[in-house]
């Protein structure tokens, strides 16, 4: 037991930099936004086409990073499923600025109007803001 304490103390200078890294104030983490779109009846394919052909490129144009997109499997409450996706931003403030620019973009306004000429594509949108938990596998960084 007497030899264990000196050995542990000898390792302290080696361990200190790692300890300092975990206790130092964290740099600002990217903000992830989980968005869930509920397609209007019969509009899931049109909604997916709008994302595929226009929206992802416009998001990128305005500084949003496309992380991943999913189509929920059909279920009784959502026979066409839902469209679920995640975007990332350097901060919540960046998110607000990016969305403001996106919504004001004349190209987006044209695409939205054309794609909704026969009715709205979405009946509801859920939005959840998140940061990565300290135990999460590594994700690509925002911007």
């Amino acid at each position: 037991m007497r030899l264990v304490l000196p050995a542990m103390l000898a390792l302290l200078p080696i361990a200190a930099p790692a300890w300092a890294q975990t206790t130092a104030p964290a740099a600002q983490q990217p903000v992830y936004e989980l968005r869930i779109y509920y397609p209007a009846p019969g509009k899931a394919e049109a909604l997916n086409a709008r994302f595929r052909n226009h929206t992802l490129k416009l998001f990128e144009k305005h500084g949003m990073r496309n992380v991943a997109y999913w189509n929920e499997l059909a279920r009784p409450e959502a026979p066409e499923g839902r469209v679920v996706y995640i975007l990332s931003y350097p901060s919540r403030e960046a998110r607000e600025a990016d969305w403001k620019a996106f919504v004001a973009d004349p190209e987006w306004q044209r695409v939205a109007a054309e794609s909704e000429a026969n009715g709205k594509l979405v009946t509801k949108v859920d939005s959840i803001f998140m940061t990565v938990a300290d135990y999460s596998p590594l994700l690509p960084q925002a911007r």
Side-chain angles (χ1 to χ4, degrees):
M1 185 69 169
R2 288 181 174 168
L3 297 176
V4 173
L5 183 58
M8 288 175 56
L9 291 174
L11 291 175
L12 188 57
I14 297 169
W19 174 79
Q21 289 174 1
T22 60
T23 59
Q28 185 172 13
Q29 290 188 359
V31 172
Y32 293 87
E33 182 179 11
L34 171 69
R35 295 181 63 88
I36 304 170
Y37 283 41
Y38 298 73
K43 302 289 185 171
E45 186 48 47
L47 178 59
N48 277 297
R50 184 167 75 186
F51 274 107
R52 183 181 306 110
N53 300 325
H54 304 285
T55 310
L56 273 75
K57 293 175 212 152
L58 288 166
F59 283 167
E60 288 176 8
K61 174 182 173 183
H62 292 287
M64 303 173 201
R65 191 172 66 75
N66 296 292
V67 175
Y69 288 76
W70 296 269
N71 287 291
E72 178 185 35
L73 297 175
R75 56 190 175 91
E77 304 82 24
E80 293 183 86
R82 296 174 294 180
V83 175
V84 179
Y85 66 100
I86 297 175
L87 299 172
S88 74
Y89 317 89
S91 66
R92 188 71 184 263
E93 296 77 20
R95 186 270 184 200
E96 299 307 318
D98 293 348
W99 271 92
K100 185 176 180 181
F102 168 73
V103 171
D105 187 311
E107 185 178 357
W108 166 247
Q109 292 174 359
R110 178 189 58 76
V111 165
E114 287 175 5
S115 64
E116 295 183 346
N118 295 318
K120 293 275 188 192
L121 300 185
V122 176
T123 61
K124 177 182 171 184
V125 176
D126 289 331
S127 177
I128 301 166
F129 293 95
M130 309 170 290
T131 57
V132 175
D134 63 352
Y135 49 84
S136 175
L138 293 177
L139 293 172
Q141 294 297 310
R143 281 194 226 165

